[in-house]
Amino acid sequence: MKVVYVVLVIYGCTLTLGVVPGGRNKNRGKGSMWWGIAKAGEPNNISPISPVIHQYNLPDHATLRKKQHRLARENPGLLVAINKGANQAIHECQYQFRNQRWNCSTKNFLRGKNLFGKIVDRGCRETAFIYAITSAAVTHAIARACSEGTIDTCNCETHYKPRTTHHYSDNAVAATGVRDFKWGGCSDNIGFGFAVSREFVDTGERGKTLREKMNLHNNEAGRWHVQQQMRQECKCHGMSGSCAIRTCWMRLPPFRVIGDILKDRFDGASHVTSANSHNRNNKLHNRGLTNNPKFNGISRNSIYSKRENRRKHKYSFQLKPFNPEHKPPGVQDLVYYEMSPPFCERKPQFGIQGTHGRVCNAHSIGVDGCAIMCCGRGYRTHEKIVAERCNCTFHWCCEVKCEICRTRKIINTCV
Amino acid sequence: MQYNIIMHLIQMYFSFYEDYGDYEVYQGNDEIYFFDVWRYCGLLSVQSILPLVIKLLVSNAIFGIILPNCKSESCFHLVSGGVGVYLISEVKSFEGKYIIVIYFLISYFVLLSSQYVGDGNRKRLGIFAKLALIGSLIFSEYLLIDPAIFLQIRGILMVLIMKVLSLVDETVERKTSIGILQYFGYSLCCANILFGPWITFREYLGIHSTRRRKDIFWILGICKSLILALLCLTVSNCWSTYLIPDESNRWLLAYRDALAFRYSHYFVSYMAESGMIAAGFKNPTLKDGSIWSYTIVSPMEVEFPTSLSVVVTKWNGPMHLFLKNSIYQPTKRYGQFAAIMATFLISSFLHGLEVKVSVVLLSLGLFSYLQAKARTILSSGFSACVKIKSCKQCNHKYKRDHWAVKISLILFSFTSIIHLAYLGILMDPQSNDISIYEKWNNLYFIGHVIMFFNLILII
């Protein structure tokens, strides 16, 4: 009996190592390739390219799909905005997770899908956040680019008329509400950002497998939060609260606000399960890191959605909560279906960097504290001389002159 | 002192940079955000009102320039009313225009009929006419037209009705009749048909008889109030939210919402002022110097009030004058409290008896009365100079420069600010769906608590 068990474990390990690279694409959905745009313009170890992104001459290493190419061609300036958005997403993600074991590290890989490492292969919280923040950042960047005038096609565009495919029961009104507005001609920037982000970001996700549904849901959640934050606001002015003049403006919060909101949603993300494989998933979660993504009932789920009309019902699914007593996730929630790996040890085959050498805070009992960050391995303390700006004087107007001081700082790093 | 604080902030800013060196670009967000607010909120807000503002100012300026060339009085009335009609045509809804015209006609018949009534009944008719006019305003708001449309024309109707009410006094009590042209020119006067303020008939005739020369100071006066108006608009729409973000505590948020409402009012008042100046009106108290101004609101005295009654009087000078002359003075014989409440009641009727406006106005009347009363009692009890108006020849033991008096004055000033925030949140148009009770409950009914303390002081 023991022998059989050992054999099974060995078999399981080899299967994991062997199969994961092959099964990856299938599992994560095909919508993540465009992330490579973020690194467009940076010298790449294989094909150094010029730092300027031309209108739609996209470097090959951010493999875009046909539809994405078409969108880029039809909307000059779009790719620049998406590039900006993708970088903003990376920065924001790294800022939000600067104190956590997983610090949203990115790699300048050849292909976009590997931008955030192999963590994306798992349907865990971190992946949910990555999808949401990238889609949110793209929406944000496009809307911004529209109001700055760097994308000409936003204004008065007819083929991005709001589509009512947004079938989330409780938020359908909210999602379409913004796009119903018209003011100052037809500069409906947020609506455009939303629509294009859907077309561009969601293009590879068909919404058939659980993973694809998760991606679609998280993408949609990211966009939804942007739309909630970036909205047109109007106000009346007149004698004692009457409405003689109506003024309208755009509320455009810094992306940090959206990052904060998504981080909150990350902390309270909903654990979902595929509709008819509840028991199977249950078992899988107990297996931790070594479970094989191929087994988790995704293919089964796709059978049931095949009959659906792809265009019409892409967003009209309802994910089931893992715990049947919980509320089903709403449009604002991030969803995941796999548990996060511990992120403590370095595991390159899963794209985990580990926390070795990470800076930690010895006096904190939170996630950035050495106790948690270093996973109980302990930390090293060393002194470092840091150059800082100091004795700054303010010269009217408007210049700040500083000296450079060298101070000693104690830095703790995980073993 | 201030310099040190700035230096400290700068150092903090830079040390923040150092801590998260990698995220430097995104820490600089604040500055970017400032320009974002300016570009997407400030500029867009100004842009969205610019067409109307230009129309208002240009047509009034044309009126102001034509005016000295109008030799006959009827020419003056015709131009004034004609431009007013043009401005009214700016009202978006058809029903709105319709209602204004109906009011214009009805009011004239009321005025006309008062001339054919015997002397004995005139006074009674005057009161009846006033009540009928105010009643019809409420009738039309609740039964005749859509509340949203009424909201658009409420300001116009208010000014129109206030003018008619003062004309009723003029014709009924002083037995002067008024011609249709005079009525047309005065009631639809282009300078104040859109944003007010109410002016007396005499004042209106005054600009024709004085014929002030329009010079460079005239243009400067228009520009000054226009710039102030736009500034207040951006404060109301943008900077208030920028300075006090949504995550602040409830008191700051209440203060912010009230501040946004106050600045919206300053915007309207300064717009009205620039329109009035463009048409050639000047402060009645101002001597005919080179300065062109027409004070409607005094923002500094409202923002940092010494007492609530100062707010009431400085909020809208002309309207205050109107209420004082035509309601407060006649009802004063029934006692001060009754007169104040009657004034605020009529004022809320003029505002169309909208629930929140009425609640705000009546509470304001109550709060300011109790505050004034409490201060009078304190003043006589401690022989201290803490009354609303600083007494010049009082024989109080403690004058205004005594420290205890100063502290209590600051305290009263502070409670006035709280009262303003407490009442102002009701007027915030963006949270109309939240009930009054809920809003006040959120602030622990602080305004009523203060009122209660004042009440205890009085008893």
Side-chain angles (χ1 to χ4, degrees), chain B residues 384-430:
Chain B
C385 204
V386 291
K387 273 195 186 176
I388 286 165
K389 284 180 187 140
S390 75
C391 41
K392 286 192 182 89
Q393 289 131 9
C394 58
N395 38 17
H396 288 145
K397 195 172 153 199
Y398 303 107
K399 298 287 182 210
R400 288 241 153 170
D401 47 3
H402 191 264
W403 62 269
V405 174
K406 272 185 183 167
I407 285 177
S408 52
L409 283 178
I410 288 171
L411 210 65
F412 276 119
S413 197
F414 185 66
T415 54
S416 304
I417 291 174
I418 291 178
H419 273 309
L420 278 189
Y422 185 67
L423 295 174
I425 49 163
L426 299 193
M427 300 296 290
D428 178 32
Q430 269 148 335

Side-chain angles (χ1 to χ4, degrees), chain A residues 19 76 91 96 179 206 221 225 262 275 325 332 340 351 385 394:
Chain A
V19 169
H91 277 280
Q96 293 293 342
R179 281 169 288 154
R206 290 156 304 153
H225 283 292
L262 286 177
E325 284 160 30
Q332 70 276 17
S340 299
I385 293 172
F394 182 70

Side-chain angles (χ1 to χ4, degrees), chain B residues 56-67:
Chain B
L56 175 81
L57 289 185
V58 168
S59 50
N60 272 311
I62 289 172
F63 168 69
I65 291 165
I66 290 178
L67 186 63

Side-chain angles (χ1 to χ4, degrees), chain B residues 234-410:
Chain B
T234 54
V235 169
S236 172
N237 283 358
C238 318
W239 303 125
S240 58
T241 337
Y242 173 71
L243 293 173
I244 305 175
D246 288 340
E247 299 83 47
S248 316
N249 69 45
R250 63 184 77 197
W251 304 104
L252 276 178
L253 283 181
Y255 181 76
R256 179 190 78 182
D257 291 347
L259 180 117
F261 172 69
R262 287 199 300 272
Y263 273 85
S264 160
H265 171 73
Y266 303 154
F267 156 67
V268 173
S269 302
Y270 277 123
M271 262 334 292
E273 181 179 335
S274 65
M276 289 290 277
I277 295 175
F281 285 95
K282 249 186 189 187
N283 258 1
T285 51
L286 210 66
K287 293 206 180 69
D288 242 12
S290 55
I291 304 161
W292 283 83
S293 75
Y294 194 95
T295 312
I296 296 166
V297 67
S298 323
M300 288 316 281
E301 283 170 87
V302 178
E303 287 301 304
F304 308 103
T306 51
S307 71
L308 272 182
S309 27
V310 170
V311 175
V312 174
T313 52
K314 301 292 177 187
W315 181 256
N316 189 335
M319 176 121 181
H320 170 72
L321 200 72
F322 168 82
L323 290 170
K324 192 176 153 191
N325 288 341
S326 53
I327 298 156
Y328 183 73
Q329 300 291 5
T331 51
K332 211 176 175 185
R333 57 194 159 143
Y334 303 110
Q336 200 195 8
F337 181 67
I340 286 177
M341 290 323 276
T343 309
F344 280 97
L345 195 68
I346 298 293
S347 172
S348 67
F349 275 115
L350 279 176
H351 283 91
L353 210 64
E354 200 188 339
V355 177
K356 62 173 187 180
V357 182
S358 310
V359 167
V360 168
L361 284 171
L362 290 177
S363 324
L364 196 60
L366 194 65
F367 292 164
S368 62
Y369 173 76
L370 287 176
Q371 196 188 48
K373 204 82 192 161
R375 286 171 78 153
T376 314
I377 284 167
L378 272 184
S379 160
S380 55
F382 293 94
S383 182
C385 204
V386 291
K387 273 195 186 176
I388 286 165
K389 284 180 187 140
S390 75
C391 41
K392 286 192 182 89
Q393 289 131 9
C394 58
N395 38 17
H396 288 145
K397 195 172 153 199
Y398 303 107
K399 298 287 182 210
R400 288 241 153 170
D401 47 3
H402 191 264
W403 62 269
V405 174
K406 272 185 183 167
I407 285 177
S408 52
L409 283 178
I410 288 171

Side-chain angles (χ1 to χ4, degrees), chain A residues 61-319:
Chain A
H61 68 280
T63 13
L64 289 193
R65 300 173 70 86
K66 221 186 240 168
K67 191 176 177 186
Q68 291 171 330
H69 270 299
R70 185 175 57 75
L71 275 170
R73 209 169 41 242
E74 285 173 357
N75 303 287
L78 185 71
L79 278 189
V80 181
I82 291 176
N83 169 278
K84 240 185 220 170
N87 278 306
Q88 203 174 16
I90 295 171
H91 277 280
E92 188 58 36
C93 179
Q94 290 179 348
Y95 173 81
Q96 293 293 342
F97 285 88
R98 67 193 181 280
N99 292 329
Q100 308 231 344
R101 283 181 186 169
W102 178 70
N103 63 353
C104 199
S105 51
T106 54
K107 288 175 177 174
N108 191 358
F109 265 128
L110 189 62
R111 293 171 86 82
K113 61 185 175 177
N114 283 326
L115 185 67
F116 290 97
K118 288 175 192 159
I119 182 73
V120 176
D121 293 342
R122 299 173 61 82
C124 59
R125 278 169 194 259
E126 283 75 14
T127 313
F129 184 83
I130 291 173
Y131 274 84
I133 197 122
T134 45
S135 125
V138 164
T139 313
H140 191 267
I142 293 175
R144 226 190 132 92
C146 280
S147 29
E148 280 165 8
T150 47
I151 305 177
D152 323 321
T153 40
C154 334
N155 298 331
C156 312
E157 198 64 11
T158 42
H159 62 260
Y160 288 114
K161 277 271 162 67
R163 248 187 270 114
T164 43
T165 45
H166 206 263
H167 285 303
Y168 288 108
S169 52
D170 49 342
N171 289 303
V173 181
T176 50
V178 175
R179 281 169 288 154
D180 289 341
F181 261 110
K182 276 198 175 168
W183 98 92
C186 38
S187 47
D188 179 12
N189 302 326
I190 305 150
F192 183 82
F194 195 96
V196 171
S197 167
R198 258 192 182 176
E199 299 268 335
F200 191 93
V201 176
D202 292 358
T203 178
E205 319 281 355
R206 290 156 304 153
K208 289 183 178 171
T209 64
L210 179 60
R211 179 54 204 268
E212 283 181 340
K213 282 181 181 173
M214 169 185 154
N215 292 348
L216 274 182
H217 186 101
N218 292 326
N219 284 343
E220 197 72 0
R223 282 191 287 269
W224 188 82
H225 283 292
V226 172
Q227 205 182 33
Q228 288 301 297
Q229 292 301 312
M230 295 173 78
R231 50 176 185 253
Q232 191 201 15
E233 287 191 341
C234 288
K235 191 163 150 183
C236 279
H237 302 270
M239 275 180 72
S240 326
S242 65
C243 192
I245 285 189
R246 195 152 169 270
T247 54
C248 291
W249 66 94
M250 205 159 110
R251 203 178 122 122
L252 200 78
F255 194 63
R256 172 62 34 85
V257 172
I258 292 153
D260 289 341
I261 293 171
L262 286 177
K263 179 71 194 333
D264 275 354
R265 293 289 167 187
F266 167 85
D267 293 331
S270 310
H271 191 172
V272 295
T273 179
S274 122
N276 21 42
S277 56
H278 190 257
N279 291 331
R280 292 182 72 117
N281 262 359
N282 222 344
K283 260 184 231 160
L284 270 165
H285 283 292
N286 302 332
R287 276 207 265 159
L289 194 70
T290 48
N291 77 51
N292 188 336
K294 239 190 165 178
F295 292 150
N296 55 10
I298 290 164
S299 49
R300 218 173 158 204
N301 190 53
S302 67
I303 298 166
Y304 288 86
S305 52
K306 231 167 204 167
R307 264 173 275 139
E308 286 175 359
N309 182 337
R310 191 171 69 94
R311 284 237 53 89
K312 214 175 172 185
H313 297 293
K314 193 170 173 183
Y315 299 96
S316 63
F317 54 84
Q318 178 65 58
L319 291 164

Side-chain angles (χ1 to χ4, degrees), chain B residues 150-169:
Chain B
F150 184 80
L151 211 58
Q152 285 177 17
I153 56 166
R154 191 174 79 189
I156 298 174
L157 284 184
M158 263 172 77
V159 175
L160 186 67
I161 284 185
M162 275 156 70
K163 283 177 184 167
V164 174
L165 289 181
S166 61
L167 273 185
V168 168
D169 280 344

